[in-house]
Amino acid sequence: MSRLDSFIRRLEAQRACLDFAARLVHGVEGDVLELGLGNGRTYDHLRQLFPDRKIYVCERRLAAHPDCVPPAEYLLLGDMRDTLRSAREPIAGQIALAHLDPGTGDLAASRALALELTPLIVPLLRCGAVLVSEPALASDQLSLLEPPESVAPERYNIYRRVSRRSSA
Amino acid sequence: MSRLDSFIRRLEAQRACLDFAARLVHGVEGDVLELGLGNGRTYDHLRQLFPDRKIYVCERRLAAHPDCVPPAEYLLLGDMRDTLRSAREPIAGQIALAHLDPGTGDLAASRALALELTPLIVPLLRCGAVLVSEPALASDQLSLLEPPESVAPERYNIYRRVSRRSSA
């Protein structure tokens, strides 16, 4: 498989997971959170999937296509490890769907960042919310769901926010 | 259609056209020319399609994935308008397949560059060679081919190098 094949497969998986997640949260009220704007392609996709929901966007430094820059009031600019802490008050427990794509292109760095971010993201999610993430995450409040049929397991990950599991 | 949809469609068209072109030049001897390396994804795809051919690569400034950097002897580094002129001697009439993806992200700039490059590219092509290009090109030595079935006309363009058409 060439890097072109692999890139296409990754984007198709990303889109399939977002479309699938949108159906999963159809009955879950709340906002959307895009963790990593990049060039804004998935943000644009989320806008089309959720025309009636607020979409908060975290990004370190704006580099998106001009058509894909979120309104200032929904843009959390800076290091996600800081902005997610300071944003916690207004959006805690308000998010119905979150999408994490660190887009570092470096698997080890993505995993390390995901590990740091998970405890910051989970409290923002409503119970029943869905979290779509390229790197795998681990939390006793996240239950791994089956991806859509077209997506190979572990290529992209979909979680449902659940109540803390009993350790008994 | 979101920008994510549109990007996936563009990459799928690119891959379908390269795969199709590889079959078209199966019986045409000669080298391959990648006009614009970028991150090296299509170069990697070409390497897999043509494991036994030399692949020359034009790029202004190397920014490819480390696994996708061509050997120095096949890399024409600099502005294509200069390097294609100076490379003309060794590769003139030697190219069986060329791929032009200026990757500027700016349609008008791509078209203007394509206009300048066409007379520099055409003399490098063997008769019967195939030129795959995102921007449309015009030359009396290029005959437009039907794209593969999955690709919408004008999304990606495939040409066959022919003898100069008579103006009679």
Side-chain angles (χ1 to χ4, degrees):
Chain A
M1 193 190 307
S2 71
R3 291 180 66 85
L4 179 61
D5 293 321
S6 154
F7 188 56
I8 291 173
R9 206 177 270 206
R10 178 183 169 278
L11 292 170
E12 286 172 338
Q14 184 179 60
R15 177 175 59 181
C17 288
L18 292 176
D19 292 354
F20 180 65
R23 291 194 296 277
L24 289 178
V25 300
H26 185 71
V28 182
E29 280 186 30
D31 305 328
V32 174
L33 176 63
E34 168 77 320
L35 296 146
L37 178 62
N39 49 46
R41 280 192 292 257
T42 55
Y43 170 65
D44 190 46
H45 200 73
L46 289 170
R47 278 197 299 205
Q48 298 204 8
L49 289 174
F50 299 101
D52 301 322
R53 303 203 194 209
K54 292 181 198 163
I55 306 180
Y56 291 92
V57 176
C58 292
E59 179 60 86
R60 184 187 290 267
R61 230 186 359 257
L62 263 189
H65 188 280
D67 292 346
C68 300
V69 174
E73 65 264 41
Y74 301 130
L75 185 59
L76 309 172
L77 212 55
D79 189 309
M80 284 192 245
R81 287 165 291 198
D82 302 324
T83 55
L84 287 180
R85 277 193 186 88
S86 51
R88 191 180 294 187
E89 197 55 45
I91 62 173
Q94 297 301 312
I95 302 299
L97 184 137
H99 172 229
L100 173 61
D101 174 12
T104 61
D106 173 338
L107 197 63
S110 279
R111 283 186 182 154
L113 181 63
L115 201 67
E116 274 193 87
L117 292 178
T118 305
L120 301 175
I121 296 169
V122 169
L124 306 178
L125 304 175
R126 297 201 153 197
C127 207
V130 169
L131 171 56
V132 177
S133 173
E134 187 171 33
L137 307 175
S139 160
D140 61 1
Q141 292 170 80
L142 293 177
S143 164
L144 183 65
L145 302 182
E146 284 281 318
E149 213 172 301
S150 63
V151 177
E154 295 178 30
R155 178 168 278 275
Y156 235 84
N157 304 282
I158 306 177
Y159 303 91
R160 176 82 83 172
R161 162 82 200 262
V162 294
S163 302
R164 195 180 297 274
R165 275 170 280 177
S166 157
S167 57
Chain B
M1 195 191 304
S2 71
R3 292 180 66 84
L4 179 61
D5 292 322
S6 156
F7 187 56
I8 291 173
R9 208 177 269 205
R10 178 181 169 278
L11 291 170
E12 286 171 338
Q14 183 180 59
R15 178 176 59 182
C17 289
L18 292 176
D19 292 352
F20 181 65
R23 290 193 297 276
L24 289 177
V25 301
H26 185 70
V28 182
E29 280 185 33
D31 305 328
V32 173
L33 176 61
E34 169 76 321
L35 296 146
L37 178 63
N39 49 48
R41 280 190 293 254
T42 56
Y43 170 66
D44 189 48
H45 201 72
L46 289 170
R47 278 197 301 203
Q48 298 204 5
L49 289 174
F50 300 102
D52 300 322
R53 303 204 194 209
K54 291 180 198 164
I55 306 179
Y56 291 93
V57 176
C58 292
E59 179 59 85
R60 184 188 290 270
R61 231 187 357 259
L62 263 189
H65 188 280
D67 292 345
C68 300
V69 175
E73 66 264 43
Y74 301 130
L75 184 59
L76 310 171
L77 213 56
D79 189 311
M80 285 192 245
R81 287 165 292 196
D82 303 324
T83 54
L84 288 180
R85 276 192 187 88
S86 51
R88 193 179 294 186
E89 198 53 49
I91 62 173
Q94 296 302 310
I95 302 299
L97 183 137
H99 172 231
L100 173 61
D101 174 13
T104 62
D106 173 339
L107 199 60
S110 279
R111 283 184 183 153
L113 181 63
L115 202 67
E116 276 192 86
L117 292 179
T118 304
L120 301 175
I121 297 169
V122 169
L124 306 179
L125 304 176
R126 300 202 150 196
C127 206
V130 169
L131 171 56
V132 177
S133 174
E134 185 169 37
L137 307 174
S139 160
D140 60 2
Q141 293 170 81
L142 293 177
S143 165
L144 183 65
L145 303 182
E146 283 281 319
E149 213 173 301
S150 63
V151 177
E154 296 178 32
R155 178 168 278 276
Y156 235 84
N157 304 282
I158 305 177
Y159 302 92
R160 176 82 82 172
R161 162 82 200 262
V162 294
S163 302
R164 197 179 296 275
R165 275 169 281 179
S166 157
S167 56

